Amino acid sequence: MTHYEPINIPDDAPYINALFYQTMQGIEEVLGSNGLKAVLQSSGLERYVNNPPPNDLASGIAAREFAQLNAAIEVFTGRAGKGMLQRIGRAAFRWGIKEQSSAMGLAGLALKALPQRLRMRAVLLGIRKGLMDTVPYGLIDVRDEDGTFVFTDYACVICHMRHDDKPLCHMYIGTLSEAMAYATGKDFRQFEVIETHCRGKGDGYCRFEIREKG
Ligand SMILES: [Zn+2]
């Protein structure tokens, strides 16, 4: 059970500069500056080569273009694609925490005093708030279902206008894994994050299950 009904996101929906900027930082950390250049060029985003967007909440990129960038990284990295996209998601999250914690909904979260489970929940709710405050069509549901956190994004941009028979949002898995590491102080490998539904394969939302490995 989820809170919301699937929503219709316009084909030309915009995406936010700051979030794209964060992703570019993650790509550069993992693939190097030549790798970043290559995937920008092959996804039709050559206007950003050596010319990053402003780190602000305006929009210079379409959600569809952001999704194409994800597809280009998968092609560029071949068989390693899934793992690379996860690494990029983790690197982007770490960079965002340092440089953009307010846009990410994580500024001023007093985690230390909370038990681990509530810290995990607070960070997931922070990400939800950050995305829903900055992305105009953002719609995210977070809940705790019998010990598994379920994070459902009804407006995922990673797979916008893409189609596959498998879930596509590996970068999101990286982001959520790193978020759990941030929340708990543990290694990201301690957490299992699975994408059970994906808009890219025709589901009404991208749904992730998050649990600590026992
Ligand atoms: Zn998705």
Side-chain angles (χ1 to χ4, degrees):
M1 272 285 290
T2 43
H3 261 148
Y4 306 117
E5 293 295 316
I7 52 171
N8 205 11
I9 305 164
D11 289 0
D12 60 351
Y15 196 48
I16 303 302
N17 285 337
L19 298 171
F20 175 45
Y21 191 87
Q22 179 192 118
T23 302
M24 282 181 65
Q25 299 292 328
I27 295 170
E28 185 161 14
E29 183 179 324
V30 174
L31 300 182
S33 52
N34 285 333
L36 172 62
K37 189 176 167 195
V39 294
L40 287 172
Q41 280 171 338
S42 63
S43 57
L45 291 167
E46 45 278 282
R47 66 186 185 275
Y48 291 107
V49 172
N50 299 322
N51 180 36
N55 185 10
D56 64 17
L57 298 181
S59 172
I61 181 174
R64 189 182 62 241
E65 292 180 302
F66 188 80
Q68 282 313 310
L69 177 62
N70 266 263
I73 294 167
E74 228 177 304
V75 170
F76 182 74
T77 52
R79 288 167 58 93
K82 240 181 176 174
M84 285 295 186
L85 283 162
Q86 291 184 16
R87 279 178 59 188
I88 291 167
R90 296 203 306 272
F93 181 85
R94 280 194 304 272
W95 188 87
I97 286 285
K98 269 193 297 191
E99 308 291 338
Q100 301 174 314
S101 57
S102 61
M104 295 180 69
L106 298 170
L109 267 192
L111 294 174
K112 281 212 176 82
L114 299 174
Q116 173 175 303
R117 191 120 197 108
L118 294 182
R119 294 206 298 263
M120 292 165 70
R121 183 168 180 276
V123 168
L124 292 173
L125 288 173
I127 294 171
R128 170 181 185 270
K129 178 175 174 13
L131 288 172
M132 287 185 61
D133 285 353
T134 55
V135 179
Y137 48 87
L139 186 63
I140 291 173
D141 183 59
V142 174
R143 54 185 58 208
D144 186 345
E145 291 180 0
D146 301 325
T148 297
F149 283 112
V150 178
F151 185 102
T152 307
D153 190 337
Y154 289 78
C156 175
V157 293
I158 293 174
C159 56
H160 187 49
M161 312 283 293
R162 293 174 66 194
H163 304 285
D164 206 328
D165 55 359
K166 297 178 296 298
L168 289 169
C169 306
H170 313 302
M171 194 182 278
Y172 223 138
I173 289 177
T175 301
L176 293 172
S177 308
E178 193 65 30
M180 294 301 89
Y182 170 73
T184 61
K186 295 181 176 174
D187 190 273
F188 75 92
R189 294 178 195 84
Q190 191 58 36
F191 301 91
E192 177 180 62
V193 181
I194 299 172
E195 187 175 18
T196 62
H197 296 66
C198 180
R199 293 180 66 235
K201 65 182 189 68
D203 300 317
Y205 39 77
C206 297
R207 177 183 179 277
F208 302 87
E209 293 182 356
I210 303 164
R211 46 180 84 79
E212 185 167 9
K213 292 178 187 166

